[in-house]
Amino acid sequence: MDHFVWNVDPVMVSIFGLKIHWYGVLFALAITAGFQVMKSVYEREDKPVESLDSLLMYAVVGIIVGARLFHVVFYDPDYYWANPGQIIAVWNGGLASHGGGLGVILAVYFYTKRYKINFMWLLDRLAIATALFGFFVRTGNFFNSEILGTPSNLPWAVIFERVDMIPRHPVMLYEGFSYLAIFVLLFALYRKTDIGKYKGLLLGWFLVLVMTVRFLLEFIKVHQADYSTDMVLNTGQLLSIPFIIAGIILVIRGQKARRLARESQG
């Protein structure tokens, strides 16, 4: 069986020694797309659009710092202990989505304090943009031939020639398109229903859906943390469980508030 062979150079273009990577371009597109989603939200709900520039700065710093530190601590601590200078080399890859999530939550907390915006209101709406953000980032992983899947003989398996000649699940694409579908669902619910009125409900569904996808796909991912290879659940799955539990709690609370509101109106 012939399989699709992927061998794209992660460097999109090099100009006078300056290398522009596909991952960097897609990361920039992720930020731009997320910004446009939040701009539409702010305009729809009469929030100060001019404060979005600051939100962007807070969120990007929170995502990068949190994602990098989680990768360093949970996925490859031995390497970074031996090579501390590489900790800041984010351009070489190595960002953990769980850490990015915690980093942006902390950054948003400080932003909401400064601009007097309700913390949970903003997290609910950022969840929509974050799902779209994840789609672009996982596409960037595809261009980098990283976050590989386990070997597979399925017709759509991909040979990542820069790594080896083994057909594998394109698991980063599975994940990316799952995130895109979650974005479409959350954005539709926000625009077409009253779900946005109940604090924590959008965020809860985001956490449940995204982290469940992440948990399930870890079964067909090559393990990224060496010390997790002999464990029943790997590092990514263990880190996903608290987020799933938090999401379930938020959904239950939000749905209860939604039901009570409807009963009082009836």
Side-chain angles (χ1 to χ4, degrees), residues 65-114:
V65 173
R68 186 59 170 177
L69 289 178
F70 252 61
H71 177 79
V72 169
V73 173
F74 290 103
Y75 286 96
D76 210 352
D78 292 338
Y79 172 78
Y80 291 104
W81 179 259
N83 302 276
Q86 288 296 309
I87 293 176
I88 63 172
V90 294
W91 50 88
N92 290 330
L95 298 174
S97 56
H98 300 92
L102 288 178
V104 77
I105 287 172
L106 184 60
V108 166
Y109 173 78
F110 289 114
Y111 169 85
T112 56
K113 289 297 182 183
R114 178 180 176 183

Side-chain angles (χ1 to χ4, degrees), residues 126-137:
L126 271 175
I128 304 171
T130 302
L132 183 58
F133 181 92
F135 163 72
F136 284 101
V137 170

Side-chain angles (χ1 to χ4, degrees), residues 42-60:
Y42 270 48
E43 289 174 342
R44 189 171 191 255
E45 302 199 38
D46 198 26
K47 298 293 182 181
V49 176
E50 60 274 10
S51 69
L52 277 176
D53 289 336
S54 292
L55 175 60
L56 179 63
M57 180 186 69
Y58 277 79
V60 170

Side-chain angles (χ1 to χ4, degrees), residues 8 15 17 27-28 36 48 51 60 69 76 82 89 114 117 155 166 186 188 190 216 230 251-252 261:
V8 170
I15 305 173
F27 194 90
Q36 292 303 317
S51 69
V60 170
L69 289 178
D76 210 352
R114 178 180 176 183
I117 295 175
I166 301 173
L186 292 179
Y190 167 72
L216 294 175
D230 295 328
V251 168
I252 292 173

